[in-house]
Amino acid sequence: MAAPGASLRLVAPVWNRGTSGIRGLSRSVDPEGSQRKGRTLLQFLADHFYDVEAVREYLLQKQVLKVLQKNRSFTYIKERYGPYVAGAYFILKQGGAVKFQDKEWMRTNGSGLSGELWKLREVPIEAVDASGCAINYQGLDNLLALKELQSLSLQCCPHVDDWCLSRLHQLANSLRELSLAGCPRISERGLACLHHLQNLRRLDISHLPAVSNPGLTQILVEEMLPNCEVLGADWAQGLKLGPEEQSCDTASSPIPA
């Protein structure tokens, strides 16, 4: 058992001996490396770290830091090129797409960002497709300055949660379309925050696993936003039948042969 104050530095002396990759490490640690060619990455980590939990914690911290890095504010770009270019840069770097007013959709290509981006500092952004991007609460700072934004897709964003939805009221004057489909961290509490968005005309709340009663939730959202087309579950989905309805349903079902 390792001492309580021990860290992951056990790997460092081995890694810095001029070996390359896991195969080199295997040879440096075990002279009879040919006998262990079949060892897996998990076996290697278990051998050189103190325990599997330490490895999991280390990898989790790296993942969190990566998400934070992706959601930083590009202050220097905003100061030089304005909020539109900064917001577009943030989305494009994450693999999303943006549409400037009277322009075609802009996406990244194999060669990187388009040079046209830096010429659009005075052109508002009217639509953002951030489907599948790693946007979180902090990263929304890059979008909330887009006061002319009409369409926003956050479909299948793994880090968009109820707290994120509580910030969207800052886009209430412009936002007309919003997609939250497939976001695993959005629940009924977050959807209740959308009552500020009275200018919405289309809202997609389908496939939200954290919503316990999709059918009832859709009814409540439609009452909350009467002028908005709400896409999602069927009204009857998730609604429990009463005793009378259940008996009628049983009676009407065909009798098996």
Side-chain angles (χ1 to χ4, degrees), residues 34-129:
S34 58
Q35 299 179 5
R36 297 190 179 184
K37 290 182 179 179
R39 74 164 46 184
T40 64
L41 176 60
L42 181 59
Q43 290 172 330
F44 170 79
L45 293 173
D47 289 344
H48 294 281
F49 286 87
Y50 293 115
D51 53 51
V52 176
E53 287 300 321
V55 177
R56 292 179 61 185
E57 181 66 22
Y58 171 73
L59 295 177
L60 179 60
Q61 290 179 2
K62 286 192 66 176
Q63 183 179 6
V64 171
L65 290 174
K66 184 177 180 180
V67 173
L68 291 176
Q69 178 71 8
K70 286 187 175 182
N71 284 276
R72 67 190 187 279
S73 296
F74 295 96
T75 306
Y76 64 99
I77 295 180
K78 185 176 181 179
E79 292 176 349
R80 182 171 181 179
Y81 295 100
Y84 304 138
V85 173
Y89 183 84
F90 168 71
I91 292 297
L92 294 174
K93 287 284 287 184
Q94 292 219 21
V98 297
K99 186 180 184 305
F100 286 85
Q101 199 172 77
D102 300 325
K103 303 289 184 180
E104 298 294 329
W105 280 94
M106 181 180 295
R107 300 178 183 272
T108 55
N109 50 44
S111 59
L113 298 176
S114 171
E116 183 184 1
L117 174 64
W118 314 110
K119 305 175 184 177
L120 301 175
R121 61 179 303 167
E122 302 297 334
V123 183
I125 293 178
E126 61 183 16
V128 166
D129 182 1

Side-chain angles (χ1 to χ4, degrees), residues 65-222:
L65 290 174
K66 184 177 180 180
V67 173
L68 291 176
Q69 178 71 8
K70 286 187 175 182
N71 284 276
R72 67 190 187 279
S73 296
F74 295 96
T75 306
Y76 64 99
I77 295 180
K78 185 176 181 179
E79 292 176 349
R80 182 171 181 179
Y81 295 100
Y84 304 138
V85 173
Y89 183 84
F90 168 71
I91 292 297
L92 294 174
K93 287 284 287 184
Q94 292 219 21
V98 297
K99 186 180 184 305
F100 286 85
Q101 199 172 77
D102 300 325
K103 303 289 184 180
E104 298 294 329
W105 280 94
M106 181 180 295
R107 300 178 183 272
T108 55
N109 50 44
S111 59
L113 298 176
S114 171
E116 183 184 1
L117 174 64
W118 314 110
K119 305 175 184 177
L120 301 175
R121 61 179 303 167
E122 302 297 334
V123 183
I125 293 178
E126 61 183 16
V128 166
D129 182 1
S131 300
C133 293
I135 296 177
N136 64 6
Y137 183 90
Q138 177 185 354
L140 282 178
D141 287 338
N142 296 285
L143 299 181
L144 297 179
L146 308 179
K147 300 304 182 182
E148 293 84 5
L149 188 63
Q150 298 181 22
S151 176
L152 174 61
S153 175
L154 298 173
Q155 182 175 339
C156 298
C157 290
H159 304 291
V160 170
D161 55 15
D162 294 341
W163 292 103
C164 292
L165 300 193
S166 70
R167 305 192 68 189
L168 294 183
H169 68 90
Q170 299 182 50
L171 300 174
N173 292 332
S174 64
L175 205 57
R176 300 293 185 273
E177 296 183 2
L178 176 63
S179 176
L180 304 172
C183 292
R185 298 189 179 187
I186 290 179
S187 71
E188 296 90 338
R189 293 184 178 182
L191 295 177
C193 299
L194 301 181
H195 70 91
H196 295 287
L197 307 181
Q198 291 298 319
N199 287 326
L200 272 185
R201 294 297 176 263
R202 189 173 186 274
L203 172 64
D204 191 345
I205 56 172
S206 57
H207 309 297
L208 300 180
V211 173
S212 57
N213 199 322
L216 179 58
T217 298
Q218 180 171 344
I219 295 175
L220 296 176
V221 171
E222 288 177 338

